[in-house]
Amino acid sequence: MGFWSRRKGVTDDIKETPDNCLNKYEEGKPVLPVEEPEKSTKKLKIPLNKTTSDVKYILKTIFFPCPICSEINTVDLSELDPIMGGETMCVHCQVVLHIPGGYLTHSEVPKLKVYAGLPVAVRKFPLFYWNHPVINDLEQQGITRIIIQYGLWGFCQRCHHQFSPAVLINLPHTSGEIVDYRSLSSEEMNEMKSLRAGCCPYCSHRILLVIISDVPHYVISASENLAHRWEED
Ligand SMILES: [Zn+2]
Ligand SMILES: [Zn+2]
């Protein structure tokens, strides 16, 4: 989809972790599984993603006002995956947008929304994530792991590099917390180290654009078939 070509060239130029993003990960630390924070802790009130459900169809295209700048965006339905939907950028204000696949398949349309990215400081991401009502809801249903496949998108606000949900959900609350690096690829490990120090590994920007969306029922019922898609390039 257009979004990917629009952001191309930004991440390609900048590969090295910048010096000003100090790496606080210590090699000698023992590796243990990450523990989820206490479920009984008081939930913080956090800002939620801005959304729009004002989505109209013209033939094979949908159009909707950007939840941030209200300018009209159009998306060709052929660019959407029936389950995963698609991500694009507002052509006017460049915010990241998530469009659920139900708009293509006409599933659960009255409940669907287009989501706009919310700026969240890298360091505040764990606090944001673990206090998010959608995540609390998935926890109560016992299906938190679905978030690896659907419902969480995180991009660097400046270079638009997309971080994998596996990296984001494993970011520890405090710099002293121990992280299990074994489940991560070497690229993800590198990203984790930089994000732990509070910044993007590619451009050292300190703010993410995050989307946490409701998980539609058609995604939950398809989730068993989704695992392989996640590995597709
Ligand atoms: Zn916009
Ligand atoms: Zn960046």
Side-chain angles (χ1 to χ4, degrees), residues 21-50:
C21 183
L22 287 178
N23 182 358
K24 289 185 184 152
Y25 167 70
E26 291 162 45
E27 300 287 345
K29 274 193 176 168
V31 192
L32 290 172
V34 188
E35 274 179 58
E36 290 181 13
E38 282 288 333
K39 291 195 174 106
S40 58
T41 46
K42 235 190 178 170
K43 300 292 180 193
L44 215 68
K45 212 158 190 239
I46 53 152
L48 299 177
N49 290 100
K50 292 214 164 88

Side-chain angles (χ1 to χ4, degrees), residues 156-161 163 200-205:
C156 170
Q157 188 189 39
R158 184 190 282 159
C159 75
H160 290 128
H161 175 80
F163 295 98
C200 171
Y202 306 102
C203 74
S204 81
H205 194 58

Side-chain angles (χ1 to χ4, degrees), residues 57 82 101-112 216 218:
Y57 287 85
Y103 285 117
L104 171 66
T105 57
H106 298 273
S107 319
E108 300 172 41
V109 170
K111 283 202 229 155
L112 298 180
Y218 61 81

Side-chain angles (χ1 to χ4, degrees), residues 13-14 22 39 61 73 77 81 123 130 153 175 182 212:
D13 302 349
I14 322 157
L22 287 178
K39 291 195 174 106
T61 305
N73 280 264
L77 286 171
D81 180 275
R123 281 197 187 283
W130 290 108
W153 297 268
S175 55
R182 288 171 299 185
I212 295 182

Side-chain angles (χ1 to χ4, degrees), residues 66 68-71 73 90 92-95:
C66 168
I68 303 297
C69 73
S70 305
E71 295 288 335
N73 280 264
C90 172
H92 307 280
C93 73
Q94 269 77 50
V95 74

Side-chain angles (χ1 to χ4, degrees), residues 49-190:
N49 290 100
K50 292 214 164 88
T51 62
T52 181
S53 50
D54 183 15
V55 177
K56 305 230 159 51
Y57 287 85
I58 299 182
L59 301 172
K60 300 271 183 223
T61 305
I62 50 169
F63 67 100
F64 51 87
C66 168
I68 303 297
C69 73
S70 305
E71 295 288 335
I72 298 295
N73 280 264
T74 58
V75 170
D76 194 318
L77 286 171
S78 66
E79 295 183 31
L80 298 182
D81 180 275
I83 306 293
M84 301 302 288
E87 285 69 61
T88 188
M89 268 167 84
C90 172
V91 289
H92 307 280
C93 73
Q94 269 77 50
V95 74
V96 180
L97 302 167
H98 168 70
I99 302 136
Y103 285 117
L104 171 66
T105 57
H106 298 273
S107 319
E108 300 172 41
V109 170
K111 283 202 229 155
L112 298 180
K113 292 177 246 179
V114 172
Y115 290 79
L118 179 79
V120 177
V122 174
R123 281 197 187 283
K124 288 188 181 153
F125 179 82
L127 201 63
F128 175 76
Y129 177 81
W130 290 108
N131 286 288
H132 200 287
V134 165
I135 303 305
N136 298 340
D137 208 53
L138 294 176
E139 258 176 26
Q140 271 161 21
Q141 294 180 65
I143 53 170
T144 323
R145 296 303 292 175
I146 203 165
I147 209 75
I148 296 271
Q149 297 165 339
Y150 187 95
L152 168 64
W153 297 268
F155 304 82
C156 170
Q157 188 189 39
R158 184 190 282 159
C159 75
H160 290 128
H161 175 80
Q162 184 174 11
F163 295 98
S164 87
V167 168
L168 294 173
I169 68 170
N170 283 302
L171 279 176
H173 282 238
T174 60
S175 55
E177 208 170 311
I178 293 156
V179 176
D180 182 5
Y181 287 94
R182 288 171 299 185
S183 56
L184 302 175
S185 70
S186 58
E187 191 198 354
E188 288 174 335
M189 211 154 98
N190 203 33

